[in-house]
Amino acid sequence: MTRLIETVAGDGAAGFGGDGGPATSASLTNPFGVALDPAGNLYIADTGNHRVRKVAAGSHTITTVAGSGTGGFAGDGGPATLAQLNQPGAVAVGPDGALYVGDASNNRVRRVDPITAIIETVAGSSGNDGSGDGAAATSAGLGAPWGVKVDASGDLLIADLVRIRRVGGATGVITTVVGPVAPYGLGPADQGALADPRGLVLGPDALLIAGGTSGTVEAMRWEEGWLEAVAGRYGQPVATGVLAKFRASSFGTVGGVAYDAALGRIYLAETSAHRLHVVTIVDADDEDTWTIASLAGSTAGHLDGVAPTARFDSPAGLFFDASERVLYVADAGNHVVRALPIDATGLAGPVSTVAGTPRTFGFFGDGGAASAALLYGPQAVTRCGNGDLFIADTVNQRIRRIEAGSGVISTVLGDGVASSSGQGAPAATFPVDSPLGLACDPFGNLVVTSRTVVRLLVAADDGSVDGSGAVQTIYGAPPRTSYPASVTSCLSGVVVLDEETVQVADSCTGVLVELWRQPQAP
């Protein structure tokens, strides 16, 4: 049997040209996916040219049927040939003749109507986190869709980087049919990998971790040696009531987590949705019973008052003050710190702004009332045993203190320069680089994470940290030649376990570093 190969499109030279002429004389650039329709027309994902080309059956003439040639995302609702695609890598033809395009770098699948030639998005949004199952496909986060197929019933199958997902032709609802629906790396602690750790807090017999873009709260259970998800998407394609773990889709980015031991509650900040949620621990030994509900927030903005209608903008770090029963929120997008009182029954009081000027960023106000100061993108907040409140004023490259009683704000670390060099006294004169984590130890010292190092602001004899004492580098000091100090570059959350132990997360590498306090030589 003789088998012959022949060229049906392309002249062998990378470029764009030839529309209206023979397909074999046309120029393509990195063609990837191809598809045939029932009439024998050939569709080519001309990836490098940001177009889809069609080779007509019979005449073998080539034309552009989608894409203007300018990489980007635009054009939904208009002619497909005027739309912007970005590295389309897959094409498919549906039973109704519609053309489907895997618009890879836009993380979308788009459809060209067979009659009007109008293009629209049918799956995917700006995200790429695999979220959205059980809801409209146009709101889902797709990885780059390098494979698309339409079955006989009209359902759309999409192959992204690690999943196969289905979009119901009649419903437009997306589900995952093959591939991970839980964050990567769960399981034995010595084999696990944290996806994108942000905040850390001690929970019920576990370390609770704000999972960042994984859309979860994770728990590191040291006694069992196990890392698991306790809130957010976890192994189930269908949501089950309000159970925290079995959700139809992930949260967006989870930027902060706090724990209320008295009520058995976990508070989390869904940064990307501008909301706070509360997880109630029904049975501490069975996370499958834990429930979740909205606590505060709605759409992005700033509005104090009743919790359900209050507005936040990209809330990040959380701290729950158990003695005062107040949840503090580093409201990064509003450049403020907010307070949400929660009474002994769990009832949330009105939200108030305690530091910063809403919707206004900058550096201002040291020596005056915290409510009149300017902050810039604060990412963390904590309170030490003496009642002083500390803020990671991240974009200002500073740590700010609100003195208990007076409400006066001051800088205790940082001079506005993004650096973490040097140690000594007074601490307020030394720089800090993008601080993301804060925690107080039992002695009143303040632990600060700043990208590549962990530093300690030493408390005075009265337990206060006012910037006049010393700053010490306790992890990541030069020459940083050993693992993991040589690779940790995005230190984020920090938690003090006891008088001797501190744990720090790295949001880039998924590493959890444990530090031990060494006894001082006599």
Side-chain angles (χ1 to χ4, degrees):
M1 181 177 179
T2 302
R3 298 176 183 269
L4 301 176
I5 189 170
E6 62 179 321
T7 297
V8 296
D11 60 2
F16 173 74
D19 272 3
T24 52
S25 299
S27 296
L28 309 173
T29 300
N30 298 329
F32 194 83
V34 295
L36 285 169
D37 69 14
N41 299 306
L42 175 67
Y43 295 86
I44 304 168
D46 192 359
T47 306
N49 283 320
H50 310 295
R51 291 176 167 92
V52 176
R53 318 279 288 276
K54 175 184 175 182
V55 180
S59 69
H60 301 291
T61 299
I62 192 169
T63 55
T64 295
V65 293
S68 63
T70 301
F73 176 73
D76 274 3
T81 53
L82 299 181
Q84 288 182 328
L85 307 176
N86 198 349
Q87 294 188 310
V91 286
V93 179
D96 61 351
L99 174 66
Y100 292 84
V101 182
D103 196 359
S105 292
N106 281 323
N107 302 310
R108 292 171 168 89
V109 176
R110 303 172 79 178
R111 177 184 183 272
V112 180
D113 188 89
I115 298 174
T116 65
I118 297 297
I119 194 170
E120 61 179 340
T121 296
V122 293
S125 58
S126 58
N128 62 359
D129 59 0
S131 64
D133 277 2
T138 49
S139 298
L142 294 180
W146 287 102
V148 294
K149 179 74 175 178
V150 186
D151 66 18
S153 67
D155 287 358
L156 175 65
L157 295 170
I158 305 168
D160 70 10
L161 298 176
V162 295
R163 300 171 179 85
I164 304 295
R165 307 182 76 180
R166 181 188 297 274
V167 179
T171 65
V173 171
I174 193 169
T175 55
T176 296
V177 294
V178 178
V181 291
Y184 168 78
L186 301 183
D190 59 352
Q191 302 173 26
L194 299 174
D196 179 24
R198 304 288 179 93
L200 306 178
V201 70
L202 286 177
D205 303 318
L207 177 69
L208 298 174
I209 304 161
T213 54
S214 74
T216 64
V217 173
E218 296 169 340
M220 181 68 78
R221 298 192 175 278
W222 295 117
E223 288 191 9
E224 294 89 347
W226 199 262
L227 175 66
E228 61 187 83
V230 295
R233 181 60 182 276
Y234 184 79
Q236 293 290 332
V238 179
T240 307
V242 294
L243 295 186
K245 192 159 64 171
F246 300 118
R247 296 175 58 82
S249 62
S250 304
F251 291 114
T253 299
V254 178
V257 61
Y259 179 58
D260 179 353
L263 295 180
R265 284 177 155 196
I266 300 169
Y267 303 109
L268 64 96
E270 188 180 6
T271 305
S272 56
H274 318 292
R275 297 175 185 269
L276 307 180
H277 302 273
V278 56
V279 175
T280 300
I281 300 173
V282 180
D283 179 351
D285 295 322
D286 184 3
E287 297 84 0
D288 295 354
T289 65
W290 298 7
T291 62
I292 190 165
S294 178
L295 177 65
S298 53
T299 56
H302 181 277
L303 181 65
D304 283 339
V306 181
T309 58
R311 291 189 179 184
F312 297 84
D313 190 343
S314 305
L318 301 180
F319 176 77
F320 183 69
D321 184 335
S323 60
E324 298 292 333
R325 297 208 55 80
V326 174
L327 180 66
Y328 289 97
V329 183
D331 193 4
N334 280 319
H335 314 291
V336 295
V337 172
R338 317 281 288 281
L340 174 59
I342 299 172
D343 70 18
T345 69
L347 182 66
V351 176
S352 62
T353 298
V354 297
T357 303
R359 312 297 284 179
T360 306
F361 63 84
F363 173 70
F364 173 77
D366 277 0
S371 57
L374 293 181
L375 308 175
Y376 195 172
Q379 292 288 323
V381 59
T382 196
R383 170 163 265 169
C384 285
N386 69 344
D388 289 351
L389 196 69
F390 293 91
I391 304 165
D393 195 0
T394 307
V395 186
N396 275 328
Q397 319 294 343
R398 290 174 168 91
I399 304 298
R400 314 283 287 275
R401 169 206 188 207
I402 302 177
E403 185 180 24
S406 71
V408 171
I409 193 169
S410 61
T411 295
V412 296
L413 179 66
D415 59 3
V417 176
S419 172
S420 292
S421 59
Q423 57 183 351
T429 64
F430 288 85
V432 65
D433 187 357
S434 305
L436 292 177
L438 297 174
C440 300
D441 72 11
F443 308 103
N445 304 312
L446 181 67
V447 184
V448 179
T449 65
S450 54
R451 289 194 63 242
T452 61
V453 303
V454 180
R455 305 172 89 188
L456 185 76
L457 296 183
V458 180
D461 292 340
D462 63 357
S464 66
V465 173
D466 61 7
S468 64
V471 59
Q472 301 173 356
T473 298
I474 60 174
Y475 171 79
R480 296 177 55 84
T481 57
S482 62
Y483 179 84
S486 59
V487 298
T488 48
S489 58
C490 303
L491 297 177
S492 50
V494 58
V495 63
V496 175
L497 300 186
D498 52 41
E499 292 184 356
E500 298 179 350
T501 313
V502 172
Q503 291 179 348
V504 184
D506 186 298
S507 61
C508 292
T509 62
V511 170
L512 188 62
V513 180
E514 185 166 277
L515 309 176
W516 297 277
R517 190 187 304 273
Q518 298 296 319
Q520 297 293 319

